[in-house]
Amino acid sequence: MALKFLTQRIAQTIDEELFSSSGGFSVDQLMELAGLSVAQAITRVYDNSKYPRALICCGPGNNGGDGLVAARHLFHFGYKPNIYYPKPTKKELYERLVIQCQNLKIPITAELSDSTFNDNDLIIDAIFGFSFSGEVRQPFDQVIRRLKGTKLPIVSVDIPSAWDVEKGNIDNRGFTPSMLISLTAPKLCAKHFNGKHFLGGRFVPPELERKFELNLPSYPGTDQVVDITNAPNEKL
């Protein structure tokens, strides 16, 4: 069966069900699973012997939280992560994620400079998630321009930042990553993406999968991610 790609409304509804009293998940629990999935997918394509220095660009929302978690796991997987985090969130969850990274001596900066980008082998885009809409404002407009101009491989978390969640890279306002890691289920904009594509989110209950007819693929072994680059999907 074809893999289902989600509209923004359906993606939001699924999240609400997962976080509800009947779903039973907390935000930090799913964030931990998402960040672990991101880090694991990166190891499948970008070996730490060739791409050891990883810059994680984090936004102020849940996507940025996924990036902070991924940075910690990448450290334990043998990478040398550093974090660009220009607008830290004051919520306790995010402050604890930052402390966890600081305890590992992972560099965290709010400053955008040439060395921030150039002294790396790989960039992880964890700036905006599927709920983002509207114009990209400072300071993130600067980092989007940098990402459009870099020759380094870029891995985007859930959707490429600055893309419309359903229509994709409208008017070329965003950049095209080398790899996309969709979470829970791919969003509709992923139909416009032709690079390496992984799915992470080995936590969806079967009843919820049936309810929304997600047609999720099987995850191999004990992996938290599955390669869906060539998976059959609903055509545009």
Side-chain angles (χ1 to χ4, degrees), residues 144-166:
I144 296 298
R145 285 196 294 271
R146 292 265 186 173
L147 291 171
K148 289 183 72 171
T150 187
K151 295 182 179 178
L152 295 174
I154 303 172
V155 176
S156 285
V157 177
D158 207 24
I159 72 167
S161 294
W163 280 34
D164 182 277
V165 65
E166 296 180 3

Side-chain angles (χ1 to χ4, degrees), residues 33-65:
L33 291 168
L36 175 59
S37 297
V38 169
Q40 192 176 86
I42 288 169
T43 68
R44 299 293 188 272
V45 178
Y46 299 102
D47 187 87
N48 62 13
S49 64
K50 188 175 180 181
Y51 300 92
R53 301 171 300 174
L55 172 66
I56 300 93
C57 299
C58 296
N62 287 355
N63 203 254

